[in-house]
């Protein structure tokens, strides 16, 4: 009886590892496609390029990080409410690394827009209101469903 239980346990563990690898493959594909959609979207708010530079995706697997970042385009920092020298790519890197602690268990996909003014643009800017809540979130959900459907 103990031998059967051990065989069952090993098989279940192996199966769960294969499922985790499939989930990671799906999330990696989703991250690439969503980042491409964000990077190529002309509705993305654009001033210095730091907002785009601060927008990226982290796929976390028990604390290890796979990061997806846009091409760096800003050539000057952004200033916001007295905070000087806001570089989007630096803010994104800080957020991605911090996520390794926050998402240290399990499998996660996290979209970041790490500059402090992103919320205001998303909520209150007449030209870009809802960009992240609507477009990016919809793109994420749609891409996840597309990738999962491919597994069948």
């Amino acid at each position: 009886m103990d031998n059967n239980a051990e065989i069952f346990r090993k098989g279940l563990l192996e199966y769960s590892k294969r499922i985790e690898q499939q989930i990671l493959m799906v999330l990696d594909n989703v991250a690439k496609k969503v980042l491409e959609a964000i990077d190529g979207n002309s509705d993305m708010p654009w001033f210095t390029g730091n907002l785009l530079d601060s927008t990226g995706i982290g796929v976390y697997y028990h604390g290890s990080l796979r990061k997806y970042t846009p091409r760096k385009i800003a050539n000057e920092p952004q200033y916001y409410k007295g905070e000087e020298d806001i570089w989007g790519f630096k803010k994104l890197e800080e957020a991605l690394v911090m996520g390794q602690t926050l998402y240290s268990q399990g499998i996660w996909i996290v979209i970041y827009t790490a500059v402090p003014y992103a919320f205001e643009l998303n909520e209150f800017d007449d030209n870009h209101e809802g960009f992240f809540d609507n477009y990016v979130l919809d793109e994420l959900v749609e891409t996840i469903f597309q990738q999962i459907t491919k597994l069948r």
Side-chain angles (χ1 to χ4, degrees):
M1 184 86 161
D2 285 335
N3 190 35
N4 287 342
E6 183 62 24
I7 291 171
F8 181 75
R9 189 188 67 73
K10 284 182 180 179
L12 195 56
L13 184 61
E14 181 61 35
Y15 186 70
S16 69
K17 287 180 182 180
R18 282 192 302 205
I19 289 175
E20 283 182 341
Q21 292 309 307
Q22 281 194 313
I23 292 170
L24 285 171
M25 180 187 69
V26 165
L27 294 182
D28 287 337
N29 289 336
V30 167
K32 290 173 192 171
K33 292 187 179 304
V34 170
L35 190 61
E36 286 172 9
I38 293 169
D39 198 15
N41 189 300
S42 60
D43 290 334
M44 175 76 163
W46 180 273
F47 300 105
T48 62
N50 282 290
L51 182 63
L52 178 60
D53 286 0
S54 80
T55 303
I57 301 171
V59 174
Y60 298 93
Y61 177 64
H62 301 297
S64 67
L65 168 63
R66 296 177 183 188
K67 60 183 171 180
Y68 299 87
T69 58
R71 58 188 161 73
K72 184 177 171 281
I73 57 170
N75 55 19
E76 64 181 276
Q78 181 71 31
Y79 300 95
Y80 175 75
K81 293 188 178 179
E83 188 176 343
E84 295 184 9
D85 292 339
I86 298 172
W87 286 99
F89 74 95
K90 288 181 182 179
K91 293 286 188 185
L92 176 57
E93 185 61 31
E94 291 169 10
L96 286 164
V97 169
M98 185 173 55
Q100 287 180 285
T101 301
L102 294 171
Y103 308 107
S104 63
Q105 295 184 356
I107 302 173
W108 298 82
I109 185 167
V110 181
I111 300 176
Y112 293 97
T113 300
V115 291
Y117 49 87
F119 173 78
E120 288 185 23
L121 282 173
N122 187 66
E123 296 296 317
F124 307 115
D125 185 286
D126 290 338
N127 296 321
H128 305 103
E129 185 176 336
F131 179 80
F132 296 102
D133 287 350
N134 298 326
Y135 175 74
V136 175
L137 183 59
D138 290 349
E139 188 69 30
L140 174 70
V141 171
E142 182 180 322
T143 306
I144 287 173
F145 282 123
Q146 288 172 353
Q147 292 300 311
I148 290 173
T149 303
K150 288 181 180 180
L151 292 176
R152 295 180 181 181

